[in-house]
Amino acid sequence: MTSLYLDYGYGSHVGLRRELNEDSSVVTDTLFAVADGMGGHEAGEVASSLAVQTLAEGWDAAQGLISRREIQQFIDRADVRIREATDSKAGTTLTGAALIEAENELQWLVFNIGDSRTYMFEDQELVRLTRDHSQVQEMYESGIITAEEIHNHPNRNVITRALGAGEVFDADYFSAPVNAGQRALICSDGLTGELEDGEIAEILGRGESAQETVDILIQQSLRRGGRDNVTVVVVDVKEEQQD
């Protein structure tokens, strides 16, 4: 008889060009998220911190028994807290994945606001589960720029949806089955702004532990320039043999 369990690693670095790390993350037994704040000095840090703190508090109060409805309630609560704390002068991205039970089976519930990303690596294939809410994503989808031009476009950091700022802060939701051997990656654009998906997939496929993989991804993003704060969470779905 087998059962599944999660092994995970996480890390964050200010990068090589920023004075302040405005990224935040939350890692629980079944809920993982990354937020990338933006705003005036320290305001972005406040926004991202409040986003993940509200998620963590909600998850804890619900004793981990959450669904899409609860996640949206946490997000709505975070939006209000950020606007009150920063006088609506700061915002944050928010993306992550929660392990939930739906239709009598385990599922990943993935949520996203902004341009931080959640991926799934399975059978040596990397699939992005989220869609960026960004100006360059819209330009790419309209055929104005190529995928290669996204990385160095002057508007690459302009997002079209944020938590705590602007008029649109609803999350997109995605679901995925839970399988042994999966590796989930949740990260800020400090990683994806420096590394192509193919490079990320190669590192994820090396067979290193979740924490070792996080450390390698962060170091590689710094070697490529480290233009932004970089935060990475890797979650492995593993199989445990039982007698």
Side-chain angles (χ1 to χ4, degrees):
M1 185 178 178
T2 62
S3 63
L4 300 179
Y5 71 98
L6 301 181
D7 181 37
Y8 43 84
Y10 55 94
S12 187
H13 196 286
V14 69
L16 303 179
R17 302 190 188 180
R18 301 291 181 95
E19 294 182 359
L20 187 71
N21 193 342
E22 294 185 305
D23 286 358
S24 298
S25 63
V26 58
V27 173
T28 71
D29 289 341
T30 57
L31 171 67
F32 310 88
V34 167
D36 179 358
M38 67 215 78
H41 185 62
E42 294 189 2
E45 182 184 27
V46 170
S48 67
S49 178
L50 281 173
V52 299
Q53 180 183 333
T54 305
L55 274 182
E57 290 171 353
W59 180 89
D60 194 51
Q63 297 182 317
L65 301 175
I66 56 176
S67 65
R68 173 172 170 168
R69 177 173 171 270
E70 279 76 37
I71 292 284
Q72 188 59 54
Q73 288 177 344
F74 304 159
I75 288 173
D76 291 342
R77 195 176 307 152
D79 183 77
V80 171
R81 292 178 70 180
I82 293 166
R83 290 175 191 270
E84 290 177 348
T86 67
D87 197 24
S88 298
K89 290 184 172 65
T92 185
T93 70
L94 179 66
T95 192
L99 202 63
I100 67 167
E101 189 166 324
E103 301 173 1
N104 295 318
E105 66 177 9
L106 281 177
Q107 293 184 3
W108 286 111
L109 175 65
V110 176
F111 49 94
N112 184 63
I113 302 169
D115 63 353
S116 296
R117 295 179 182 176
T118 298
Y119 292 85
M120 190 63 69
F121 184 72
E122 188 171 11
D123 296 327
Q124 295 299 306
E125 182 180 359
L126 184 66
V127 177
R128 192 201 308 181
L129 299 180
T130 55
R131 176 186 175 273
D132 292 352
H133 301 131
S134 68
Q135 198 171 94
V136 291
Q137 180 69 27
E138 293 179 357
M139 293 170 72
Y140 167 69
E141 291 174 358
S142 300
I144 298 172
I145 62 174
T146 66
E148 291 73 26
E149 290 174 309
I150 288 176
H151 280 265
N152 293 306
H153 196 279
N155 293 345
R156 65 183 180 275
N157 293 324
V158 179
I159 65 172
T160 56
R161 197 184 299 188
L163 190 61
E167 297 179 359
V168 183
F169 58 90
D170 290 338
D172 288 342
Y173 291 93
F174 313 86
S175 60
V178 178
N179 299 312
Q182 287 177 324
R183 171 164 270 190
L185 168 66
I186 305 159
C187 61
S188 64
D189 68 340
L191 179 69
T192 55
E194 302 294 356
L195 303 184
E196 300 282 354
D197 282 6
E199 298 172 281
I200 293 172
E202 188 276 325
I203 294 171
L204 290 172
R206 290 182 185 177
E208 306 281 2
S209 72
Q211 188 60 57
E212 288 169 333
T213 301
V214 166
D215 296 340
I216 293 168
L217 286 168
I218 291 175
Q219 287 304 313
Q220 190 64 14
S221 72
L222 297 177
R223 290 192 189 100
R224 289 297 174 83
R227 292 174 292 179
D228 201 353
N229 309 146
V230 55
T231 299
V232 178
V233 178
V234 171
V235 185
D236 289 339
V237 182
K238 295 196 169 185
E239 208 166 44
E240 188 174 44
Q241 296 290 335
Q242 294 182 334
D243 296 329

